Amino acid sequence: MPFIQQSPRRQPTNKCQAAALAAATLIAASLAGSALAQFTPPQVAGNQSRQDLQRQERFNELQQIEVDNRLRANPDVPFNQRAFIDFGGYITLQYLSLDDRQGNNHGLRQPDFVVYGRYNLDAANEFFVRARTSYQDFNKGDSFEGRGNEWTDADIERGYYRFDLARYEGAYKGKTLPYNVTFQAGRDLVYWANGLTMGSVIDGAITDLTWKNFTLELIAGVTPVRTVDFDPTRPSSDHNTRRGFYGAIASYAINTEHWGNHKPFIYILDQRDYNSHNELQQGTIHTKFNYNSYYIGAGATGNFGDHLLYGAEVTYEGGHTLSNSYRINGFSLEQVNQTEDQIEAYAADFRLDYLVNDRHNTRLGAEVILATGDRDRTITNATFGGNVSGSRDHAFNAFGLVNTGLAFAPEASNLASFRVGASTYPLVDMDLFHRMQVGFDFFLYNKLQRNRAFDERTTNQHYLGVEPDVYLNWQITSDVTLAVRYGVYFPSNAIISSGATRQFVYTGVTFAF
């Protein structure tokens, strides 16, 4: 199940926005899945005669000629008749109810208004833009930031230009290239591998280089200003963040007849902190911020046969961070000089999905997330209360998008999370419900290292609790979709902040036009 989440350590308003974004992503994924399911490639029988195979080969050649002629641009046709233009929008009416870490419930009604436009010329040049604005209507006294009901500022969520060299050569010169280069500039989501390290929106450039089965993707960009930072103690971390990302991921496609298709990959990602001008004054304690990290990762995705899909990603984090700014002296805090300390952390994500391949598109899945923590930190993802001066920082902190549940949603730092789940389309024979998907996920949470910091206060225990989540995605008509999410976290006695269960309820209805 596709999922996008924000950490509960961040401002809760961003968790609301994350829930809405998650629902939109799930709806889009289910619609795409429905469309793809309608296409089944023709099969060639194994006992065909030589003449049948020759006729099939000739037919394929004629098809290819037809495709080449269709893709090749006719300069006599005006460009405005060769272009594909798509524009529209949708309105999503949402309701969110969640319990915070102190056991307080918050209710929010939020309509989202989204417009988009796409211009594609000869499949070689594409422009795309999507903008969103929302209105937040809280229950009385439930506003997370104390500002009450308000409009959020309109924002460009996505906007880019994309160029495809192979399609350009095919459209304008009639050539078929054995390689390809695509270049994209603007604002878009970059999601690598299982999303453990990199799953962020950046303003910048993305270049894909392909040759036969080899692919190299290069990225260079900076997060949009309104990005929510991973460090909740940095001033303005919930609405003003600038971090640069520069890296490359290389993969090689291996296609076999008996052992399935596999794509091993390696990557390196460098993250630069452009927020060092932010400083925090807490009483007599002055804190500076500067977290610069790099990640070296490897893994593979693929399938074994028609039923088993897998994804594996392991990564090492290095770099430097500023140490904690205080020490405890009796019953008070005492200022200490911050030092630049080395980061040495590790993380891994393993996923396995079993496709039943029945009429209901039933899927069974499991996932394990492991990430190291630091012994002397108070908070695993913060500078104020962070690494002790002069020691190595073993807390893994990255910028990915991984599914750690709805109600608890911990950061992937000093975490050992185990998930099992299933989804299906139960009523495929009923016209009204044949595009309705239901599913569930069950999470078991532990700290990877019991005596190390977590993203909220805990005792020195491994076990943190469990959480069942259920969800529904229903494309009622071609223009109307419904998304429902419910999760409830049952904490263990290791959680200090509140022993109460935490519930998360989300419903959203989308009307497209």
Side-chain angles (χ1 to χ4, degrees):
M1 144 179 158
F3 182 80
I4 296 181
Q5 58 90 33
Q6 301 282 8
S7 164
R9 291 293 307 178
R10 302 165 186 167
Q11 292 293 335
T13 28
N14 297 298
K15 191 170 184 179
C16 302
Q17 296 166 357
L21 183 56
T25 304
L26 287 161
I27 292 169
S30 63
L31 296 181
S34 300
L36 291 172
Q38 298 175 3
F39 174 76
T40 303
Q43 302 295 321
V44 179
N47 59 355
Q48 280 184 310
S49 67
R50 181 180 297 275
Q51 291 180 342
D52 291 335
L53 291 173
Q54 289 175 344
R55 282 194 293 268
Q56 180 69 41
E57 184 178 354
R58 178 57 179 163
F59 175 74
N60 291 339
E61 292 176 355
L62 293 174
Q63 269 194 325
Q64 185 61 49
I65 293 173
E66 179 184 353
V67 170
D68 292 342
N69 289 333
R70 185 168 65 249
L71 291 179
R72 186 169 184 177
N74 186 346
D76 296 330
V77 178
F79 77 91
N80 61 329
Q81 297 181 22
R82 306 197 314 265
F84 171 78
I85 301 175
D86 179 30
F87 60 91
Y90 56 88
I91 299 173
T92 302
L93 306 178
Q94 305 165 94
Y95 174 75
L96 175 67
S97 173
L98 63 86
D99 298 327
D100 62 24
R101 295 184 171 185
Q102 287 69 44
N104 301 315
N105 180 263
H106 301 262
L108 169 67
R109 289 159 296 277
Q110 179 173 305
D112 281 358
F113 304 91
V114 180
V115 293
Y116 69 89
R118 175 183 286 107
Y119 178 85
N120 188 297
L121 179 62
D122 297 325
N125 299 275
E126 180 178 71
F127 296 87
F128 178 78
V129 63
R130 187 176 76 219
R132 177 190 300 266
T133 189
S134 306
Y135 181 76
Q136 295 182 342
D137 177 21
F138 290 93
N139 291 344
K140 185 176 180 180
D142 282 358
S143 175
F144 296 113
E145 298 169 345
R147 294 200 296 259
N149 303 337
E150 63 177 354
W151 283 94
T152 62
D153 295 334
D155 193 19
I156 302 296
E157 289 188 318
R158 304 288 187 272
Y160 58 81
Y161 163 74
R162 189 172 189 270
F163 171 77
D164 189 308
L165 178 63
R167 296 194 178 210
Y168 177 88
E169 292 290 325
Y172 299 105
K173 300 180 182 180
K175 295 181 179 179
T176 301
L177 299 180
Y179 59 89
N180 193 21
V181 178
T182 63
F183 174 79
Q184 180 175 306
R187 176 174 297 179
D188 201 9
L189 173 69
V190 177
Y191 187 90
W192 281 1
N194 286 8
L196 181 63
T197 298
M198 185 60 187
S200 300
V201 175
I202 65 170
D203 293 334
I206 304 171
T207 302
D208 286 338
L209 310 174
T210 60
W211 181 72
K212 295 183 179 180
N213 293 353
F214 177 79
T215 301
L216 176 65
E217 180 175 278
L218 309 172
I219 67 168
V222 180
T223 58
V225 172
R226 294 179 185 175
T227 300
V228 180
D229 201 7
F230 77 91
D231 186 343
T233 63
R234 183 181 64 80
S236 305
S237 63
D238 63 328
H239 66 274
N240 192 332
T241 300
R242 299 293 279 179
R243 291 189 180 274
F245 294 95
Y246 311 92
I249 180 170
S251 61
Y252 187 83
I254 302 172
N255 304 313
T256 66
E257 182 178 353
H258 300 292
W259 298 99
N261 303 315
H262 311 277
K263 182 176 284 188
F265 60 82
I266 57 173
Y267 63 76
I268 182 168
L269 177 69
D270 185 57
Q271 179 273 138
R272 298 290 94 186
D273 188 348
Y274 299 139
N275 307 288
S276 57
H277 59 283
N278 292 146
E279 298 182 3
L280 175 67
Q281 190 70 39
Q282 290 280 89
T284 61
I285 308 301
H286 185 76
T287 308
K288 297 180 180 180
F289 298 83
N290 198 25
Y291 191 92
N292 295 285
S293 54
Y294 65 87
Y295 307 84
I296 301 173
T301 59
N303 68 283
F304 292 98
D306 297 330
H307 295 278
L308 202 59
L309 306 179
Y310 73 91
E313 179 180 358
V314 294
T315 186
Y316 165 81
E317 178 187 3
H320 292 88
T321 180
L322 287 182
S323 65
N324 190 14
S325 56
Y326 69 86
R327 66 185 173 196
I328 299 176
N329 185 4
F331 296 98
S332 62
L333 303 182
E334 182 180 84
Q335 179 81 49
V336 297
N337 292 327
Q338 291 179 267
T339 59
E340 188 176 81
D341 299 327
Q342 184 176 344
I343 301 170
E344 183 181 320
Y346 304 86
D349 183 286
F350 305 99
R351 299 179 187 175
L352 199 62
D353 288 292
Y354 182 80
L355 308 182
V356 179
N357 288 335
D358 60 348
R359 296 172 55 250
H360 301 280
N361 288 326
T362 303
R363 174 190 290 253
L364 310 175
E367 182 175 11
V368 177
I369 301 172
L370 306 172
T372 59
D374 190 70
R375 184 186 304 274
D376 48 43
R377 278 177 169 266
T378 303
I379 301 296
T380 192
N381 56 329
T383 300
F384 183 80
N387 189 59
V388 169
S389 176
S391 66
R392 292 195 177 189
D393 184 5
H394 298 291
F396 180 79
N397 288 295
F399 306 87
L401 291 172
V402 289
N403 186 359
T404 57
L406 296 171
F408 190 32
E411 292 281 1
S413 186
N414 194 19
L415 178 69
S417 171
F418 305 91
R419 176 185 63 85
V420 293
S423 65
T424 189
Y425 290 81
L427 304 174
V428 293
D429 295 324
M430 302 180 64
D431 289 342
L432 181 60
F433 300 101
H434 77 284
R435 291 186 178 179
M436 183 182 72
Q437 181 193 40
V438 296
F440 79 91
D441 286 309
F442 182 84
F443 295 86
L444 171 64
Y445 302 107
N446 294 273
K447 290 193 294 184
L448 183 65
Q449 295 152 300
R450 66 180 182 84
N451 59 346
R452 302 196 176 191
F454 194 60
D455 76 344
E456 61 178 285
R457 294 180 62 211
T458 59
T459 61
N460 288 341
Q461 299 181 41
H462 279 292
Y463 176 58
L464 298 175
V466 298
E467 176 179 331
D469 292 348
V470 294
Y471 58 92
L472 178 146
N473 301 314
W474 182 14
Q475 185 180 355
I476 302 173
T477 69
S478 60
D479 299 325
V480 180
T481 55
L482 170 68
V484 179
R485 304 286 178 272
Y486 175 74
V488 54
Y489 169 56
F490 299 96
S492 73
N493 56 13
I495 302 295
I496 295 176
S497 58
S498 173
T501 60
R502 305 176 192 175
Q503 298 189 65
F504 181 102
V505 180
Y506 170 85
T507 59
V509 181
T510 299
F511 303 89
F513 56 87

